[in-house]
Amino acid sequence: MKIKNTFMNLIGNNDPASKFNRKKMLTTLSPVIGLVALFILASSLSNVFLTASNLTNVLRQVSVLGFAALGMTIVIITGNIDLSIIGNVSMSTTLVAVLLQNGWDVVPMILVVLLASSTIGLLNGLIISYFKIESFVITMGMQVVCFGLSLFIAGGRTVIVDNLAPFMLNLASNKLGMIPVMFIILLGFYTVFYIFTKKTKMGRYIYALGGNEEVSYVSGVNVTIVRTTAYILSGLMAGVAGIFTFSRSLCGDPAAGSALGMYVVAAVVIGGTKMSGGRGSVLFTIIGILIIGIINNTLNLVGFEYYAQQIIQGLIIIFAVVISSKKRR
Amino acid sequence: MKIKNTFMNLIGNNDPASKFNRKKMLTTLSPVIGLVALFILASSLSNVFLTASNLTNVLRQVSVLGFAALGMTIVIITGNIDLSIIGNVSMSTTLVAVLLQNGWDVVPMILVVLLASSTIGLLNGLIISYFKIESFVITMGMQVVCFGLSLFIAGGRTVIVDNLAPFMLNLASNKLGMIPVMFIILLGFYTVFYIFTKKTKMGRYIYALGGNEEVSYVSGVNVTIVRTTAYILSGLMAGVAGIFTFSRSLCGDPAAGSALGMYVVAAVVIGGTKMSGGRGSVLFTIIGILIIGIINNTLNLVGFEYYAQQIIQGLIIIFAVVISSKKRR
Amino acid sequence: AKEAEPTSTTGEDFLIGISQPFMGHPIRQAGTVLINAWLEEHPDVEVMVTDGQLNAAKQIADIEDMITKKVDIILVAAHQSPTLVGVLREAKAAGIPVIAFDRTLTDPSVQVGMVVNDDYAAGASAAQLLVDKLGGKGNIVVLQGPAGNTTVTLRQDGFLSVVNKYPDIKIVDDQVANFQRVQAVDVFENILQANPDIDGIYCHNDEMALGCVKVLKDAGITDIITVGIDGQKDALEAIMAGDYYGTIRKVVEFPAALDMALEYLKTGKTTSMNYLDSIPITKENVEQYYDPDAVF
Amino acid sequence: MNKPMLQVNNITKQFPGVKALDRVSIDLYEGEVLCIAGENGAGKSTLIKILSGVFMLDEGEIILNDEKVNIKNPLTAIELGFSVVYQEHRLINNLTVAENIYFGRFPMKRGFVDYRKLNDDAQQILNRLGMNIRASELVSSLGSSQSQMVEIAKALSVGAKIMILDEPSAAITDSELEKLFEIIKDLKSEGQSFIYISHRLKELFEIGDRVAVLKDGKLVGVEKVSDIDTKKIISMMVGRDLGEVYRPKDREIKEEVLRVENLTNDIVHDCSFTVRAGEIVGFSGLVGSGRSELAESVFGYRKRRAGDIFVDGRKVRIRTPKDAIANGMGFITEDRKTTGVILNKSVAVNTTFAILDKLSRAGFVNTREEKVLVDNYIKKLKIKTPSDKQEAQFLSGGNQQKVILAKWLLTESKFLICDEPTKGIDVGTKQEFYNILDDLARQGIAIMLISSELPEIVGLSNRVYVMQEGRIVKELMEDEISEETITTYSMHEME
Ligand SMILES: Nc1ncnc2c1ncn2[C@@H]1O[C@H](COP(=O)(O)OP(=O)(O)OP(=O)(O)O)[C@@H](O)[C@H]1O
Ligand SMILES: Nc1ncnc2c1ncn2[C@@H]1O[C@H](COP(=O)(O)OP(=O)(O)OP(=O)(O)O)[C@@H](O)[C@H]1O
Ligand SMILES: [Mg+2]
Ligand SMILES: [Mg+2]
């Protein structure tokens, strides 16, 4: 009972007694069930899948996506969307490369990158709040702006860095046992954000904004600040994702973010967060990124024809979303 | 006065007497104002812009986008989104090429292509309605599936057609005076869809679905049929867009649709249709596609640096959306 | 950039349209640098450069815009060659000459000249380089560029035309990494899991090859031969360092293409219709091609 | 009571096409309950929203404790000491009851929300209101009356100097209201002031000190409650006398139209009942007794686990509202916003939405015919709107409700379910609606009437079913129906 309670708390339900919750638990758990099913499928399709080194691989590969999806989850919980993330990741990646190339130290470099990426978030939040427009096209426009900026920063080419500090050199490859350090850092971020969204005042306002903006407003909450906070966090995470993207390839590719493409939103929704806002949990986004990571890993391991890979990937995403949703009526 | 009345009817407002409507007219008209402003800007930036041949160009360049955006408008009015369109356009384009290559006549080819593209819409509609899930990720997954299918159909490479029927050969280049026939066909489609959405029962249901799905359901409307109709129409228009994409390049590029990318949604929103559903008009999407077409055309004519082009393009999209929205509170 | 007069009135001022398929690749940026340098020396010429953003429709529109702007000549590197047939015929009909650079055109009748790299030959050379090093047998992996892309098709076909002649060469995996280094890292890590006994890698470009090289280095694997195409500067550096086996040199078509254009505009003729050579570069000859100040 | 704490001077508010308030001046004294009455669209909610910072006033001034204040947004209003229960439901569905009650004022401990204190405090308020729900429950699992009570709890918990209640009693029953009034009286004696809006005039006399009457945006007058009676208020509101509200019930009751047997699901248990042609059957019970859920289950809007439905003696399959409508049913739903009106569609579109089949030829809507029908109902139900093209969201709450009535009356169903049909509707229109219902019954329509307003049930019903916790516990025949009997059976403890 104690364990169940803790679990129910984890999934954001503080009321374990009621009948509704068993049903709710099941629907909240469905992403986990999907993950397990995919896990079994993957191991039966490829005997390499379950090897330790492959699993390490998967964890490393999902990390960048994980940072981006964390920010996206926060924004989606507010009932908005942030398509600028992938542009922002590109911009941050090239900025990392250019700063390092120009001999900056790691710490000031990180600070400047995060400042720049958060500024993009700040702008998103302010424009959307001030003009009261839908976030989709605004952040889409911002994505294009960011791509332009990253081409500008990189001077149109992949930026190569000559004398890399060991810290940056090993950031992606370091491991703690079998677990990549990147992934541990990712889990750290998720934990902090989880506590932030569930236990702090601002976190609750973020949920409330997605639930009913009007009520937040008439209850005296400054919705502009809440929304902008969410976007700043999302920008910040795009910056972190950019730093790790750099650490994976050790160069600044101005199109780096486009590899994330649609996976960011897909991971969030597969994790059970509703795009209509107000519902979901950052923790479950981890499930979402793992599902996506395993799909891509397995498709590579099994080595289907490329067109078949696309078809299978699309179908599995559809399937995963279907599983992680429940009937409303 | 007569003219004004007709106009008010056009934008769906039959009550010119009240003061309220003048304000409403202004906000509805803001995309038009945006278009005019852009027009003036473009002609001042480039003396070529206002030449007849350039305007013909722009009309031809926006047509494919126009077909895709028409379908998207209908879906967005229902409060959903259809990201599969760009995959569907790719699929349709390659299908046109492969069928013609295999010696099919134009009419049966068109029928089969439209059938295939509508089937994608049908599947979208049914999956979303049956499982009651958000359309974003489902249609995103379907986009990937369609892209896989188009690679499959094309055999992974651009399909070249040897002996093209004159009809297909001239479809894109034919003109009526200065107006490309493509664009006239586009206007025809917009007119039909405008009448359909504004005057028919199903059109009302489509708007109502976006306004409040529960009310539709309680009032005895089969919401599955309404939503699926919208998606079938969207798929159909993707097929038409595919046929015209082929006619523009006369070969089947399996990635053809990706050119539309984010422009489809942007055009719809710039035209004033709200992504929250229930509001907007297909007619104004024409303004949206023209704005996008003029931006791209002018950027080429003026010849900024490529990175500046991206930045400017993103900023103008943001600006256009800001203009075409109004403050809610 | 300032706008030029639509037509040259004095017969001295020229406007050259350059239709690039994409600007986000190092070779395109190198082109820009070389174009700008050339323009310094030719004050009577202006250029209109467009960015096809990796999509066919955008490139068609770009060329249409060049036609309406009445450029004097069009230089084009096709994103998807077949898609440009129609619009280039229109250019021809409008009296605008066309020169192909970097990539061949599907319908050569529209062009007055070309300065292109032969992607088919590059693929074949890369294959030969790899096969020779492997002694005609072994397991190889291929990383492709974006599916459906013409360059990809040619580099793949050229490659297969050689490899298919060697029955002991086995392609154990063939995946898409979209010409991107970051994606190649992910994809190749996975491939390496499933195929521990790889002998060689063929990548459609250096960017992806360098991604693979990084993965191999991280994994401490030294006995896998990596081959790519392009010969960009950091690829040559990796070859010198011994991390990367070899690549096929791709030549930036500028200023050659511009010279040819100007020649045509002034004389109505072009002197040569040449393929640039596909030269293999390995540790043996890398010094010869490495230039620390190169733009590419 | 010498100096008013709040003075509203000459306030004017213009909406496009409507002058919602026209130079209105009202005072509020410390420790008093000021009631505001007026027809639908008279401007009551607009006045409140100006005080609470949702709308900005066009002209006039607000003076609070001798100081002119500029209430530019809800936060200012809250800081100035206003707390409001709005007419439309305003809760955040995805948060818990406790979080909603203390929204914007969470108790904190070491930088984090102190959930223990939050839940305990909220539970105390709920208990004080006699509400049988847990503070940690999600609001989305509440019925609409329960969430209304939570809103009241939220406003009460603020302990604001001025509490404004805009139709808090719509769709809650007398026993809950009693609790609310007790609390108001307590707080009043501590010096708190109230502005109270209701269309149930009886309440004004129970709780109010003074009554202000608005008509068409103008103040008609302010009277001490002790100086006037219902009749006077009505004539101030409507401008004329209404006469008898309810007609005699001598309807001719014919064959059975609807029979429900053993209907069961998560909320409703084993319910059986019948409704006959020409009969109005009332359903009564406390908040949460499951009346709405029963209606929804009959109509196919809510899933049934067991039970049969017979229409005209034939067993029918009803799985969706569409099936119900095909079998001649109509359903005036309880919740305006979620199942009632399409807020961003016009009055006309909303009104004819359920009869588009009849109104179209070859798929095209006959707009000429539509306009005739809509205008007719705008007149008949006195829907206050600048035109039939006005979007529903710009109508006052009561006028939205009238649109819903019109929509379902137009369907000419042979069996009509009315769930709180007069919620938020002014007395004049209520009477008109009662007459329409009576006419329908006399034409042989069978009517199921759910209402929390007991006089309505008593005044209209031929029979009454009383519900408790999802079960029908008593059927009252016409001669047994009275407010006392209904209350007794609603409250009676089941063993
Ligand atoms: N946002 C708005 N835009 C336009 N008109 C409005 C708006 N809000 C209210 N109105 C109009 O102002 C008038 C007064 O509305 P208000 O909501 O104050 O009425 P009310 O007295 O509260 O009525 P009810 O008893 O029905 O709640 C109505 O005619 C209404 O149509
Ligand atoms: N959407 C829902 N999900 C879960 N439970 C619900 C839902 N709606 C209502 N309930 C439960 O159903 C019961 C009855 O709800 P409700 O208050 O609507 O009853 P009612 O008799 O119709 O009363 P009223 O008409 O006064 O609202 C309550 O216990 C409530 O918690
Ligand atoms: Mg009101
Ligand atoms: Mg009810």
Side-chain angles (χ1 to χ4, degrees), chain A residues 200-258:
Chain A
T200 70
K201 216 188 258 187
M202 182 52 91
R204 298 323 287 164
Y205 291 163
I206 282 175
Y207 270 91
L209 184 63
N212 191 329
E213 178 169 348
E214 218 49 40
V215 179
S216 297
Y217 179 69
V218 299
S219 305
V221 170
N222 188 330
V223 289
T224 299
I225 291 182
V226 177
R227 183 186 285 104
T228 306
T229 304
Y231 272 103
I232 290 177
L233 291 174
S234 167
L236 185 79
M237 294 320 297
V240 175
I243 294 170
F244 281 100
T245 303
F246 176 87
S247 79
R248 287 281 286 162
S249 64
L250 299 182
C251 64
D253 175 359
S258 60

Side-chain angles (χ1 to χ4, degrees), chain B residues 14-15 20 24 195 199-201 204-205 207-208 211-212 214-222 277-279, chain D residues 16 299 301 321-322 325 337-339 342 344-345 352-353 356-357 360 363-365 370 387 389 391 393 407:
Chain B
N14 309 320
D15 186 29
F20 175 66
K24 189 174 164 188
I195 294 171
K199 304 287 175 197
T200 70
K201 189 171 67 169
R204 285 241 177 133
Y205 288 154
Y207 273 95
N212 187 329
E214 286 303 295
V215 173
S216 296
Y217 182 67
V218 183
S219 305
V221 176
N222 188 328
R279 275 173 197 283
Chain D
F299 199 68
Y301 183 61
K322 194 176 167 60
I325 291 169
K337 264 192 168 164
T338 55
T339 52
I342 305 172
N344 63 10
K345 291 289 120 204
T352 59
F353 192 67
L356 285 182
D357 279 333
S360 15
F364 284 82
V365 180
E370 176 179 40
S387 91
K389 293 289 177 288
E391 283 180 17
Q393 60 181 321
K407 165 173 148 182

Side-chain angles (χ1 to χ4, degrees), chain B residues 39-224:
Chain B
F39 210 81
I40 294 170
L41 185 72
S43 18
S44 74
L45 282 176
S46 159
N47 50 5
V48 183
F49 178 74
L50 270 186
T51 58
S53 72
N54 188 55
L55 295 179
T56 309
N57 244 357
V58 172
L59 293 186
R60 205 159 47 181
Q61 287 166 8
V62 298
S63 295
V64 167
L65 176 61
F67 289 111
L70 178 53
M72 184 68 96
T73 311
I74 307 280
V75 172
I76 289 185
I77 288 175
T78 67
N80 294 269
I81 196 166
D82 187 358
L83 301 178
S84 74
I85 288 178
I86 66 177
N88 202 344
V89 172
S90 299
M91 190 191 84
S92 306
T93 309
T94 51
L95 196 55
V96 171
V98 167
L99 292 181
L100 289 178
Q101 173 72 325
N102 285 322
W104 284 50
D105 280 339
V106 172
V107 174
M109 175 279 288
I110 290 181
L111 290 180
V112 168
V113 169
L114 297 185
L115 188 72
S117 67
S118 313
T119 304
I120 298 293
L122 176 76
L123 290 176
N124 282 328
L126 290 182
I127 295 174
I128 293 166
S129 302
Y130 188 76
F131 296 106
K132 306 206 165 49
I133 23 185
E134 285 148 340
S135 54
F136 194 96
V137 185
I138 291 302
T139 56
M140 184 188 261
M142 195 59 91
Q143 175 188 323
V144 182
V145 172
C146 284
F147 185 57
L149 286 175
S150 87
L151 283 174
F152 173 69
I153 292 170
R157 51 189 66 196
T158 304
V159 182
I160 320 273
V161 185
D162 295 322
N163 295 308
L164 264 184
F167 175 82
M168 288 308 295
L169 210 54
N170 301 323
L171 192 54
S173 45
N174 277 343
K175 279 185 277 186
L176 214 80
M178 289 311 296
I179 318 273
V181 169
M182 265 173 97
F183 191 73
I184 294 173
I185 297 176
L186 182 76
L187 290 185
F189 268 99
Y190 271 82
T191 312
V192 171
F193 273 70
Y194 176 73
I195 294 171
F196 166 72
T197 50
K198 291 288 183 182
K199 304 287 175 197
T200 70
K201 189 171 67 169
M202 183 52 91
R204 285 241 177 133
Y205 288 154
I206 282 175
Y207 273 95
L209 185 64
N212 187 329
E213 181 168 344
E214 286 303 295
V215 173
S216 296
Y217 182 67
V218 183
S219 305
V221 176
N222 188 328
V223 289
T224 300

Side-chain angles (χ1 to χ4, degrees), chain A residues 48 51 53-54 57 60-61 151 155-158 160 248-251 253 255 258-259 297 300-301 303 306 309, chain C residues 23-26 29 33 147 173 175-176 178 180-183 185-187 189-190 193-194 207 214 218 234 295:
Chain A
V48 183
T51 58
S53 72
N54 188 55
N57 244 356
R60 205 156 46 185
Q61 287 169 8
L151 282 173
R157 64 180 77 188
T158 303
I160 317 290
R248 287 281 286 162
S249 64
L250 299 182
C251 64
D253 175 359
S258 60
N297 175 259
N300 280 338
L301 292 185
Y306 185 64
Q309 289 196 12
Chain C
M23 290 304 291
H25 191 273
Q29 189 55 30
V33 173
D173 213 341
Q175 304 269 349
V176 172
N178 294 318
Q180 276 200 341
R181 196 184 300 203
V182 187
Q183 279 187 40
V185 170
D186 279 356
V187 171
E189 271 180 355
N190 291 336
Q193 295 297 329
E207 283 286 317
K214 174 170 191 301
D218 285 349
D234 54 331
V295 286

Side-chain angles (χ1 to χ4, degrees), chain A residues 124-194:
Chain A
N124 282 327
L126 291 182
I127 295 175
I128 293 166
S129 302
Y130 187 76
F131 296 106
K132 307 210 162 50
I133 23 188
E134 285 147 340
S135 54
F136 193 95
V137 186
I138 292 302
T139 56
M140 183 189 264
M142 196 58 91
Q143 175 189 322
V144 182
V145 172
C146 285
F147 269 123
L149 286 174
S150 79
L151 282 173
F152 173 69
I153 292 170
R157 64 180 77 188
T158 303
V159 181
I160 317 290
V161 186
D162 294 323
N163 294 309
L164 263 183
F167 175 82
M168 288 307 295
L169 208 57
N170 301 324
L171 192 54
S173 43
N174 277 344
K175 279 185 279 187
L176 214 82
M178 289 311 296
I179 317 275
V181 170
M182 265 173 98
F183 191 74
I184 294 172
I185 298 176
L186 183 76
L187 290 185
F189 269 99
Y190 271 82
T191 311
V192 171
F193 273 69
Y194 175 73

Side-chain angles (χ1 to χ4, degrees), chain D residues 39-46 48-49 87-88 166-167 197 199 336 395-399 424:
Chain D
E39 291 183 289
N40 296 127
K44 305 179 294 294
S45 300
T46 306
I48 300 259
K49 286 180 186 166
Q87 182 175 11
E88 312 87 41
D166 194 352
E167 296 189 31
I197 297 176
H199 287 292
R336 271 206 281 280
L395 299 188
S396 77
N399 284 304

Side-chain angles (χ1 to χ4, degrees), chain D residues 145-163:
Chain D
S145 325
Q146 288 169 323
S147 39
Q148 177 124 11
M149 289 300 286
V150 172
E151 270 185 271
I152 292 172
K154 175 179 173 181
L156 286 173
S157 73
V158 178
K161 285 196 302 256
I162 300 174
M163 249 194 86

